[in-house]
């Protein structure tokens, strides 16, 4: 992902009455659409699963956990 095009946003899921949030998730825009890099997408899925099973907090900063090995 080219550094100059990287932006950050918060991702929020509401699942079964619980709110899960990942802060500062890198993404980029192309043709007025937002896209996540495939590696970011995989990490988000793993982070979401860990949140749902209460293995990590319901709110995390992507920048702090992006380098973790899942």
């Amino acid at each position: 992902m080219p550094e100059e095009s990287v932006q950050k946003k918060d991702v929020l899921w509401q699942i079964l009455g619980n709110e899960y949030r990942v802060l500062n998730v890198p993404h980029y825009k192309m043709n007025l659409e937002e896209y996540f890099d495939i590696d970011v997408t995989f990490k988000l899925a793993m982070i979401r699963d860990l949140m749902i099973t209460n293995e990590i907090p319901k709110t995390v900063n992507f920048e702090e956990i992006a380098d973790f090995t899942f």
Side-chain angles (χ1 to χ4, degrees), residues 8-50:
K8 300 202 176 168
K9 68 182 285 181
D10 297 346
V11 174
L12 171 72
W13 296 284
Q14 292 182 333
I15 303 169
L16 299 173
N18 293 305
E19 190 171 277
Y20 305 95
R21 186 180 309 264
V22 182
L23 309 174
N24 299 312
V25 179
H27 74 287
Y28 61 97
K29 289 187 178 185
M30 184 171 60
N31 299 328
L32 303 175
E33 296 288 330
E34 294 181 346
Y35 296 93
F36 293 109
D37 185 76
I38 191 70
D39 292 336
V40 171
T41 302
F42 287 138
K43 286 181 182 180
L44 281 174
M46 289 185 278
I47 290 167
R48 182 200 61 220
D49 292 345
L50 291 169

Side-chain angles (χ1 to χ4, degrees), residues 22 24 26 39-40 43-44 46-47 50 60-70:
V22 182
N24 299 312
D39 292 336
V40 171
K43 286 181 182 180
L44 281 174
M46 289 185 278
I47 290 167
L50 291 169
V60 296
N61 187 331
F62 188 86
E63 294 172 341
E64 293 175 359
I65 63 171
D67 294 331
F68 285 6
T69 303
F70 296 99

Side-chain angles (χ1 to χ4, degrees), residues 1-7:
M1 195 176 327
E3 284 297 318
E4 63 273 5
S5 66
V6 175
Q7 299 178 15

